[in-house]
Amino acid sequence: MDGGSNFAVAAYDPVGSFISGHSNWTTSNTWTNLSPGRDLSSFVNVSRLEFYNYDGDQLTNRVNIDSITFSVTSPPDPVITGATFDAATGALVVTGADLVSNAGALNDIDVSMLSISGANSTSHTLTSGDVEITSATSFTVLLNAADRDALLGILNKNGLSSDDGTTYNLAAAGNWIPGSANAGFLADLTGNGITVSNVSSPTISSAVFDLATGVLTVTGMNIPSNTGAANDIDVSALTFTGEGGASYTLTSATDVEITSSTGFSVTLSGADLTAVAALLNANGGTSRDGTTYNLAAADNWATGAAASVDISDTSGNGIAVSNWTASVSSAPTNLVVTAGDAQVSIAFTAPANDGGASITDYEYQIDGGSWVSAGTTSSPVVITGLTNGTTYAIKLRAVNSAGNGTESVAVNVTPASSATPATDFAANETVIRQMVQADAMRSLNTLLAMNQNMMRDARGRLVSSQQGQASRDIPFDIDGSFIATRDGISTQGSFFQQSGDAETGTRRLIFGDFLVQRDEESGSTTATLDARVAWERMVDDATMLGYFIGAELARSNLEGSFAGDQDRYGMTVGAYAVHALSESLFLDGYATLGAGQNDLQASNGVLALESDYSTWTVSVGGAVTGVISRPGYDFLPELAFSYGRTQIGQVGFTGTAYGVVDNTLSLDAGDVSIASLTFRPEIQVSMDGGPVARAETVFSFSPRLICEELRMATSDSTCGTGLELGLSSAYNDGLGSLDMRLMRDWVGDATRTSFRLRFEHRF
């Protein structure tokens, strides 16, 4: 035949049957028009070929070939060798050999023919869309969400095998690669390992709890399913935290399936619902006490996850609560009753369940009567107005916004007085101490006033001696004074007798004072009588020394919280000196030591007290006094200091109250003291026009600077100024005198005003 021309060919088997044919061949063609799946053995039996020239539609010049040798070749089948899977991206990258494409788009690989097996030998057939091959050795499938969720529990661990040791495998069923000539016969089911990476542990992000239905809906990520039914979530691994930071782990709810990889729901009932409702006791994300709700999941809570990996998720998982409503509280428990005087106190444990609402009150019921508000929201409940010796049955209940709670069991109690003299004494200890100290302070004031009188008279006797007036006997002398201040009222008097030896300059004196003081603040009054015997002599023309012994008798009428009276008996010894520094300047000083015995009886209407106690008193004082005489007036500057201290110490009492006598009562009354420093320049003006020493009427004016410290329970140190105005007049017979003085002091925060009226008469 002509080379290069077109021709037709037909093949026949040995018996002449037609096998196959082809048209439009050239002289160098190879028979390649085999149909997919055709049995090649039929071509081995070809015994004759007929060739025809082909010119248009005419077949001419037939040539027969009776001796034929065939060489048949077939392309290799595509295979899968392995795969990798990135759990983070969902990319399944498959490697293989002799992969072929298929005509069209996104149809080289039929993904529905691929399945993946892993944990618990579970297998999943992919539902993602078909893909193109990237080369003859690989293709990539980006799995859809459904496939990725399904594989969470199958490919549950990085590497080549699952947590239970199952080797991962990618299986390809027939027709997985449609472009292959033998596609229908090319299943590749085993030996195709998968390397898994970036597997993430399941997590919980939040939850919603509906108290009305008991349904807990949990939201999370990467939550895998597990083979079997109702076992994806181990509910016993879930713990709630709420009110007061308390926690509760579910015990009765059954395990559940996940609804997707991002959530599941659990329905609570019975004990679980009751306990959780007590913790999640307010709508929203926090409890009534402000505790943030939390759902904690212990390890292995998602059973489809790798057991060898710790997947616990215990914090940051807030719970949003809805449909919370309050209910009445349960009963108070553990009632403990303490009987008192016409009252009882009932301690209790608050209700275990407050109904989800704050308790606004507690109420009590006595002997089945009406319920009464206790006016408290905590233990104990105190009930007053009861009758001692009567037994009462009492119940308690709590009240919240939902109403009255469950009643407690009744407790029986019989009120009785538990007070004793000791308890009343302890309750009034401060008042009793102040009473004792106040009386000691009045006694100390009296002592210092008497000492001042003594030194004033001694200074007068020294002046008389210097003026050459002989010491003469004075049979009896009496004088008195009345002083009123805003702090109290005092009346004062003295008596005096003197006998002496003019030649030796010695003399014996008997003198004394009586003084009545009233404390306006407390209303207490103290009357004191003091008598002294003194011996004094002129050491020289300028100095006089003296010493004395004295006795004191005082009675106090006590007012205030405790009313009663106190008698005091005392002895005092002391010494004094007066020295003329010059004709117009004198220095004097004294020191005394005294002991007193006090008999106290006082009562506040409940507690009656009796006490016999001792005190010790010391006092010192001194003054520098000048006398500057000018025609018609004298100038008398004086700087004086005095200090007195009374030591009281431990005072024992016998107390009587509630028909009981207790002689073991005592308190430490400590001590009281007075210290003062006064500068007092006095100007005396004769109203008769002559010298002050011989004037019958004298007007005096005296400004002063004062610093003092008074110490009883506390110490009070203050300084200030003062002013004194005086008017004195002597009787014409020389046997009597009258002295009036108005004094006003500004010391610290206090303003003190005093008026003194002093009269003197000699018999």
Side-chain angles (χ1 to χ4, degrees):
M1 294 198 172
D2 295 334
S5 63
N6 292 331
F7 58 91
V9 61
Y12 298 89
D13 62 16
V15 296
S17 298
F18 176 76
I19 296 175
S20 183
H22 204 290
S23 61
N24 295 322
W25 268 37
T26 65
T27 55
S28 59
N29 266 126
T30 301
W31 201 323
T32 61
N33 65 332
L34 299 176
S35 299
R38 183 173 177 82
D39 188 359
L40 298 179
S41 63
S42 61
F43 287 91
V44 177
N45 293 325
V46 172
S47 62
R48 179 169 59 87
L49 293 175
E50 293 183 354
F51 292 88
Y52 303 88
N53 277 339
Y54 181 72
D55 186 11
D57 292 331
Q58 300 297 320
L59 297 175
T60 59
N61 299 326
R62 182 177 65 184
V63 177
N64 294 330
I65 301 175
D66 297 322
S67 178
I68 302 171
T69 300
F70 287 93
S71 175
V72 180
T73 61
S74 177
D77 291 332
V79 295
I80 292 174
T81 58
T84 62
F85 178 64
D86 187 335
T89 64
L92 176 68
V93 180
V94 181
T95 58
D98 301 313
L99 304 181
V100 295
S101 61
N102 192 21
L106 297 177
N107 63 354
D108 290 351
I109 303 298
D110 185 349
V111 176
S112 67
M113 295 292 105
L114 303 179
S115 60
I116 295 175
S117 60
N120 299 315
S121 299
T122 303
S123 178
H124 171 70
T125 299
L126 301 181
T127 62
S128 301
D130 296 344
V131 297
E132 298 287 279
I133 62 174
T134 54
S135 69
T137 59
S138 70
F139 62 88
T140 299
V141 182
L142 291 177
L143 303 187
N144 60 26
D147 286 342
R148 294 173 67 175
D149 285 353
L151 293 178
L152 288 172
I154 296 174
L155 308 180
N156 62 7
K157 184 180 178 183
N158 291 331
L160 294 170
S161 60
S162 64
D163 192 58
D164 65 358
T166 302
T167 300
Y168 300 139
N169 184 73
L170 175 64
N175 288 326
W176 65 275
I177 184 164
S180 173
N182 293 320
F185 301 94
L186 296 179
D188 189 354
L189 304 177
T190 60
N192 305 325
I194 306 172
T195 301
V196 177
S197 63
N198 295 322
V199 173
S200 297
S201 296
T203 59
I204 292 174
S205 57
S206 62
V208 174
F209 184 58
D210 187 334
L211 274 165
T213 62
V215 175
L216 173 71
T217 302
V218 181
T219 300
M221 292 181 63
N222 304 315
I223 306 175
S225 61
N226 196 10
T227 55
N231 65 348
D232 290 348
I233 303 299
D234 181 357
V235 176
S236 67
L238 302 180
T239 299
F240 292 80
T241 299
E243 177 78 9
S247 298
Y248 176 78
T249 300
L250 298 180
T251 59
S252 58
T254 57
D255 295 344
V256 297
E257 294 288 279
I258 62 172
T259 53
S260 71
S261 64
T262 59
F264 61 89
S265 294
V266 182
T267 300
L268 307 186
S269 61
D272 282 345
L273 181 58
T274 300
V276 171
L279 296 178
L280 310 185
N281 57 11
N283 289 325
T286 57
S287 64
R288 294 204 321 275
D289 69 353
T291 301
T292 300
Y293 299 140
N294 186 72
L295 177 65
D299 190 21
N300 297 322
W301 61 274
T303 60
S308 62
V309 177
D310 185 354
I311 62 169
S312 58
D313 187 356
T314 58
S315 63
N317 307 324
I319 307 172
V321 176
S322 62
N323 292 322
W324 171 87
T325 56
S327 60
V328 298
S329 70
S330 57
T333 57
N334 302 323
L335 274 63
V336 177
V337 182
T338 301
D341 184 10
Q343 67 176 28
V344 295
S345 175
I346 307 176
F348 58 90
T349 300
N353 180 10
D354 62 7
S358 298
I359 293 174
T360 57
D361 192 14
Y362 283 95
E363 295 180 343
Y364 62 86
Q365 181 193 60
I366 300 177
D367 294 337
S370 301
W371 287 91
V372 179
S373 170
T376 182
T377 58
S378 61
S379 175
V381 166
V382 177
I383 305 173
T384 60
L386 304 179
T387 301
N388 289 338
T390 301
T391 300
Y392 299 92
I394 303 175
K395 293 181 180 180
L396 300 181
R397 71 183 181 188
V399 179
N400 65 10
S401 59
N404 300 322
T406 305
E407 301 174 5
S408 71
V409 297
V411 290
N412 295 321
V413 60
T414 303
S417 176
S418 61
T420 65
T423 59
D424 271 24
F425 186 84
N428 292 280
E429 184 171 332
T430 299
V431 174
I432 298 170
R433 180 181 291 106
Q434 290 173 346
M435 175 184 65
V436 173
Q437 289 181 337
D439 192 73
M441 182 64 78
R442 287 192 297 272
S443 176
L444 188 57
N445 270 314
T446 298
L447 174 66
L448 295 179
M450 292 175 178
N451 290 340
Q452 290 171 356
N453 288 341
M454 179 183 69
M455 294 310 298
R456 185 182 306 115
D457 291 342
R459 191 163 54 242
R461 290 192 296 273
L462 176 62
V463 172
S464 297
S465 297
Q466 285 186 321
Q467 293 175 350
Q469 299 176 8
S471 176
R472 61 186 178 89
D473 294 341
I474 300 176
F476 191 73
D477 179 49
I478 183 169
D479 66 67
S481 68
F482 174 85
I483 300 176
T485 73
R486 61 186 299 171
D487 296 323
I489 299 173
S490 69
T491 62
Q492 176 179 309
S494 66
F495 58 87
F496 181 83
Q497 182 180 24
Q498 173 181 309
S499 63
D501 186 342
E503 294 182 0
T504 62
T506 61
R507 52 182 162 255
R508 185 187 71 236
L509 305 99
I510 300 175
F511 57 88
D513 292 273
F514 57 91
L515 179 67
V516 178
Q517 297 183 80
R518 177 177 173 80
D519 186 341
E520 291 299 320
E521 181 177 354
S522 66
S524 299
T525 302
T526 300
T528 305
L529 175 64
D530 177 81
R532 297 181 182 183
V533 178
W535 294 266
E536 66 183 33
R537 68 186 181 90
M538 295 296 298
V539 178
D540 53 38
D541 292 340
T543 305
M544 182 177 68
L545 298 179
Y547 59 92
F548 70 90
I549 183 170
E552 176 188 326
L553 174 63
R555 183 173 183 84
S556 297
N557 181 23
L558 305 176
E559 299 292 341
S561 299
F562 279 80
D565 54 66
Q566 175 170 273
D567 294 327
R568 182 175 67 257
Y569 312 92
M571 294 291 294
T572 304
V573 296
Y576 56 89
V578 183
H579 179 69
L581 299 174
S582 67
E583 291 183 358
S584 60
L585 185 63
F586 298 89
L587 173 66
D588 63 70
Y590 67 86
T592 72
L593 173 64
Q597 185 65 32
N598 302 269
D599 182 7
L600 170 67
Q601 294 181 338
S603 173
N604 66 351
V606 177
L607 175 64
L609 295 174
E610 296 181 3
S611 177
D612 290 315
Y613 64 95
S614 301
T615 57
W616 289 89
T617 302
V618 295
S619 69
V620 294
V624 177
T625 305
V627 178
I628 302 173
S629 297
R630 292 290 184 269
Y633 72 92
D634 287 347
F635 178 57
L636 293 85
E638 180 185 75
L639 180 63
F641 166 76
S642 64
Y643 172 77
R645 178 175 178 269
T646 297
Q647 176 66 38
I648 308 171
Q650 199 73 24
V651 179
F653 292 87
T654 296
T656 303
Y658 312 108
V660 178
V661 178
D662 187 344
N663 59 4
T664 64
L665 309 177
S666 67
L667 59 78
D668 185 357
D671 58 73
V672 299
S673 64
I674 304 172
S676 67
L677 180 65
T678 304
F679 176 63
R680 178 176 171 271
E682 182 178 12
I683 298 175
Q684 297 180 349
V685 179
S686 171
M687 305 301 292
D688 302 334
V692 172
R694 293 194 296 269
E696 292 185 357
T697 304
V698 176
F699 171 76
S700 63
F701 169 78
S702 175
R704 53 187 173 185
L705 298 175
I706 306 168
C707 286
E708 63 182 19
E709 179 183 68
L710 304 178
R711 186 168 64 84
M712 291 183 14
T714 60
S715 179
D716 182 19
S717 299
T718 55
C719 290
T721 60
L723 180 64
E724 180 178 333
L725 300 176
L727 183 66
S728 63
S729 179
Y731 297 165
N732 291 330
D733 58 10
L735 297 178
S737 65
L738 178 67
D739 182 71
M740 296 180 292
R741 291 185 181 272
L742 176 65
M743 294 159 283
R744 188 173 182 86
D745 296 325
W746 298 270
V747 181
D749 295 330
T751 300
R752 299 182 303 214
T753 303
S754 302
F755 174 73
R756 189 179 77 174
L757 177 65
R758 185 176 186 270
F759 62 91
E760 179 180 329
H761 186 76
R762 293 182 181 180
F763 298 91

